[in-house]
Amino acid sequence: IPQTALQSYNELAWFDGVGDYVDMGISANSDLGLTTTFTVSCWAIASQSTTATYLFNFWQDSANGLGVKMHGTNIQVYDDMTSNDTAVYSTAIIAGVWHHIVLSVDSSDMTLYVDGQSIGTGTDMTESLAAATYDLYIGSRNDTPQLTHEGAITETSIFNSALTEAQVQELYNDGKALDATTHSASSNLKGYWRNNGLSTWTDLKGSNNGTPTSVT
């Protein structure tokens, strides 16, 4: 896997797996207009590969959430919005290596991409963010926090469309993180955040800035 040359950073927040997260302070539906069709993308590196940790999660309460986790050598999509389903896709997730993770949801189907390649499609999950207020967290399940990430996460972007495989590969950009505002689907880009260290994670597309908590 070619290692990405990420954007130039003066700081890069590190999640140590103990109480770390970034609260985006937004509702996925009312603030971003997401319903049944959307895409979430990020670059992530894990310092270990044994414990389940959230990269990002849309969270409503103890019974509702949709998120993506690194879990051992697997990437896991957790869907508890309607049917408490969990989809696990086995792939080569390596500790200490940057990976590009994309979850593309189109009505009842979801496709998970790792490093520009589809590693699985779930067809039995009915996704909807319209029923309630789902808040976005990066690096944790929620703000309790739970299952916090150990490593780093950056280049998180959200589109209100389901990116195709070709569009995902465009975002992957042969292993060099693409500026999401220059993507061919940028008209559907609703939020875009780079890891800004301990400072506010500025929304480079809109006005929904993220607040880092307990990161180093």
Side-chain angles (χ1 to χ4, degrees):
I1 300 173
Q3 288 305 282
T4 176
L6 291 170
Q7 304 293 333
S8 177
Y9 294 93
N10 292 321
E11 296 180 314
L12 191 67
W14 187 258
F15 298 74
D16 65 9
V18 183
D20 306 358
Y21 65 96
V22 180
D23 184 351
M24 308 317 293
I26 55 175
S27 164
N29 44 19
S30 62
D31 290 326
L32 298 182
L34 305 186
T35 54
T36 60
T37 302
F38 57 91
T39 300
V40 182
S41 168
C42 73
W43 282 87
I45 187 170
S47 61
Q48 46 74 41
S49 58
T50 58
T51 305
T53 64
Y54 270 97
L55 298 179
F56 54 81
N57 190 48
F58 296 109
W59 175 259
Q60 168 65 17
D61 53 37
S62 60
N64 295 282
L66 172 66
V68 172
K69 295 188 284 185
M70 282 185 168
H71 194 172
T73 57
N74 297 320
I75 285 289
Q76 185 177 52
V77 179
Y78 183 79
D79 164 38
D80 196 19
M81 287 188 176
T82 56
S83 56
N84 198 28
D85 290 326
T86 302
V88 179
Y89 305 108
S90 194
T91 191
I93 297 299
I94 305 170
V97 173
W98 285 100
H99 290 284
H100 183 226
I101 314 297
V102 177
L103 177 65
S104 179
V105 178
D106 184 5
S107 297
S108 61
D109 296 339
M110 62 168 61
T111 304
L112 189 66
Y113 298 88
V114 176
D115 301 325
Q117 300 297 317
S118 169
I119 62 169
T121 298
T123 58
D124 61 344
M125 299 183 183
T126 301
E127 307 307 329
S128 177
L129 291 172
T133 302
Y134 291 91
D135 299 323
L136 173 63
Y137 296 94
I138 295 176
S140 175
R141 189 183 188 200
N142 52 26
D143 60 354
T144 302
Q146 297 175 323
L147 300 178
T148 53
H149 185 62
E150 184 176 341
I153 304 167
T154 190
E155 296 290 326
T156 302
S157 56
I158 299 180
F159 297 78
N160 66 353
S161 61
L163 296 187
T164 65
E165 184 169 11
Q167 289 173 323
V168 170
Q169 290 175 348
E170 178 189 354
L171 199 57
Y172 175 59
N173 195 32
D174 291 328
K176 182 178 180 179
L178 183 76
D179 182 338
T181 62
T182 68
H183 191 272
S184 61
S186 61
S187 60
N188 296 319
L189 184 64
K190 302 298 290 184
Y192 178 35
W193 303 270
R194 291 178 182 157
N195 187 320
N196 198 30
L198 305 181
S199 305
T200 298
W201 288 27
T202 303
D203 185 353
L204 301 176
K205 176 63 177 182
S207 58
N208 301 301
N209 301 330
T211 303
T213 299
S214 190
V215 296
T216 56

